[in-house]
Amino acid sequence: MAENIPTLSGSEWRVMEALWSGPKTLMELVRELGQSAGWAKSTVTTMVRRMEEKGLVVYDQQGRTKLFRAGLAREDAAATETESLLQRAYHGSVGLLVNALADREALSRADIQMLYEVLQKAEEGST
């Protein structure tokens, strides 16, 4: 798992999704999360403050306005989440994860082709 990168809660993911699309003022976050999640201003404010304390959200001061942005790259959050899921649900086995997806017919032809390409690239890199 990536060092010092926390696993995000569902609510934290919502805030991060809003910020990964670009920096926003608190009121822009309130408007967006109010529409998408039904959150009140106080909920958004509390979430942003807590996430700021964790270093997940940072801001730039522009006059009297704070412009909030993600303090964590989407790729880093996704990698941490993937590793966490892999460890919790599949004992760290990528093979078990892929098998579970295949058993449930959750892999499209495009997914299977991409897996072939990824595996071939990994095999070439390990020789």
Side-chain angles (χ1 to χ4, degrees):
M1 197 173 332
E3 290 183 34
N4 300 323
I5 298 176
T7 301
L8 302 176
S9 70
S11 296
E12 288 171 336
W13 269 101
R14 284 186 179 269
V15 174
M16 295 304 287
E17 287 290 347
L19 294 174
W20 283 325
S21 69
K24 295 182 176 54
T25 64
L26 183 61
M27 290 315 296
E28 288 170 333
L29 283 170
V30 167
R31 195 168 27 260
E32 183 172 332
L33 293 167
Q35 291 173 350
S36 67
W39 291 357
K41 181 182 178 184
S42 60
T43 303
V44 176
T45 303
T46 299
M47 282 299 301
V48 169
R49 182 180 44 77
R50 288 181 181 163
M51 291 175 73
E52 200 178 342
E53 290 169 359
K54 293 180 179 182
L56 298 172
V57 172
V58 295
Y59 68 88
D60 298 311
Q61 191 77 41
Q62 294 187 344
R64 292 176 29 179
T65 304
K66 290 181 179 180
L67 193 59
F68 294 94
R69 57 187 167 80
L72 174 65
R74 179 192 298 271
E75 296 78 20
D76 291 336
T80 299
E81 195 70 27
T82 301
E83 184 63 30
S84 176
L85 170 68
L86 196 60
Q87 291 302 323
R88 278 190 334 265
Y90 299 100
H91 306 287
S93 172
V94 173
L96 287 175
L97 168 63
V98 174
N99 190 53
L101 293 171
D103 282 351
R104 288 165 182 75
E105 299 178 8
L107 297 172
S108 68
R109 287 239 176 250
D111 291 333
I112 293 168
Q113 182 60 40
M114 186 175 73
L115 279 171
Y116 277 127
E117 292 168 10
V118 167
L119 293 172
Q120 186 174 21
K121 184 179 170 183
E123 187 174 52
E124 290 168 1
S126 67
T127 57

